[in-house]
Amino acid sequence: SFSSFTLYVGDGTAAGTRRLPVGPNSQPYALAVRGDVLFAFDGVRIFRSDGSPAGTLQLPAMAPTTVYGASLDALPGALVFGDVGTGLFGTDGVSSPVLLSQSYAIPLGRAGDHLLFRDARGLVATDGTLQGTVALGHVSVERVADDIIGPFAHFLENGGLYRTDGTVTGTVMLAPLPSGVSVSSIVSTDGGVYLVADSANFGSELWRYDATSGQIVLVVDLVPGPASGPLVMRRLGDGDSLLLLVNAPALGLEALEG
């Protein structure tokens, strides 16, 4: 069967909802936002829109081949799109897209003005240009922080917590993991870097990176002993709070400031 996808913009009311002059398309659009501008990629064409029909137009740049199940990221100076089978491409929206990585994996998130992804070179950062696509020298990255905000991204490799700003010189180790601790998720907030990690003594609990001591320390043993506490961790609001889904009926959902 044939599916048809179109784009609409709305203010939350029926009267204020209108269709943008894009499509229809046979696959979902990949969407990205830069400031007040929306970008949409249909697998071949890239559109930009200010949310009005008159302000919606197709950009000159087009994909060299149809990209299925694509991702799209709007960096400050470039648009980056691709999929695992086709590769990762960058364009300013006018010039023909350039191939940034043939063996590319799904993007991992942003570090400042750079997009992070993994390919055969390991962890790679790009500003959307070929000359600005650089392998960061880490080939065994195990996990990258969820919901990356701000100028830095955090990741795990070989038992250590690292921070990167998307450059080789700005990629540094912050702290080793405590012995016997296995991390399942990382989230950065305005107040620091938090980890849900499992250990024999505490089970799965909330830990954080303490910049003063340079150590990864236990925040709180929500479910005392080896039983597990947090199962899911998400950042809330503008990045100053955490939401924890805790494996305990008496606790349920817990919010943590900071």
Side-chain angles (χ1 to χ4, degrees):
S1 62
F2 177 80
S3 297
S4 179
F5 296 90
T6 55
L7 286 180
Y8 289 81
V9 63
D11 59 5
T13 67
T17 301
R18 57 192 181 275
R19 178 177 170 176
L20 296 178
V22 176
N25 193 45
S26 61
Q27 63 172 315
Y29 290 88
L31 304 176
V33 175
R34 182 195 295 152
D36 295 330
V37 178
L38 170 71
F39 295 92
F41 178 55
D42 69 1
V44 176
R45 302 168 297 173
I46 304 173
F47 300 86
R48 73 180 304 276
S49 177
D50 61 5
S52 69
T56 302
L57 55 90
Q58 181 183 337
L59 298 178
M62 297 180 66
T65 186
T66 302
V67 181
Y68 296 98
S71 63
L72 176 68
D73 289 272
L75 301 178
L79 299 168
V80 179
F81 65 86
D83 72 357
V84 174
T86 309
L88 190 68
F89 298 84
T91 177
D92 59 7
V94 177
S95 305
S96 297
V98 296
L99 182 63
L100 304 175
S101 174
Q102 182 66 65
S103 59
Y104 128 92
I106 299 297
L108 302 171
R110 294 272 292 271
D113 294 341
H114 296 82
L115 176 69
L116 300 178
F117 64 94
R118 274 185 291 204
D119 68 7
R121 296 168 288 182
L123 187 63
V124 182
T126 183
D127 63 4
T129 67
L130 192 58
Q131 60 270 27
T133 301
V134 180
L136 299 179
H138 293 264
V139 297
S140 303
V141 174
E142 302 157 21
R143 187 172 295 279
V144 177
D146 301 323
D147 302 326
I148 296 172
I149 60 171
F152 301 108
H154 297 84
F155 64 91
L156 296 176
E157 183 183 50
N158 296 328
L161 176 66
Y162 288 78
R163 182 185 70 194
T164 181
D165 62 1
T167 68
V168 175
T169 56
T171 302
V172 297
M173 183 175 176
L174 296 179
L177 291 178
S179 178
V181 168
S182 175
V183 176
S184 59
S185 65
I186 315 169
V187 169
S188 300
T189 74
D190 291 339
V193 184
Y194 291 86
L195 310 92
V196 171
D198 185 81
S199 67
N201 291 333
F202 302 109
S204 179
E205 293 292 349
L206 183 66
W207 299 65
R208 70 177 177 89
Y209 168 64
D210 181 1
T212 301
S213 66
Q215 303 281 332
I216 295 172
V217 298
L218 182 69
V219 176
V220 59
D221 191 3
L222 288 169
V223 180
S228 294
L231 299 176
V232 178
M233 174 173 60
R234 292 290 184 269
R235 191 182 66 245
L236 291 177
D238 295 327
D240 58 355
S241 300
L242 287 175
L243 180 69
L244 302 173
L245 177 61
V246 182
N247 184 26
L251 297 176
L253 288 174
E254 292 288 314
L256 174 70
E257 295 293 331

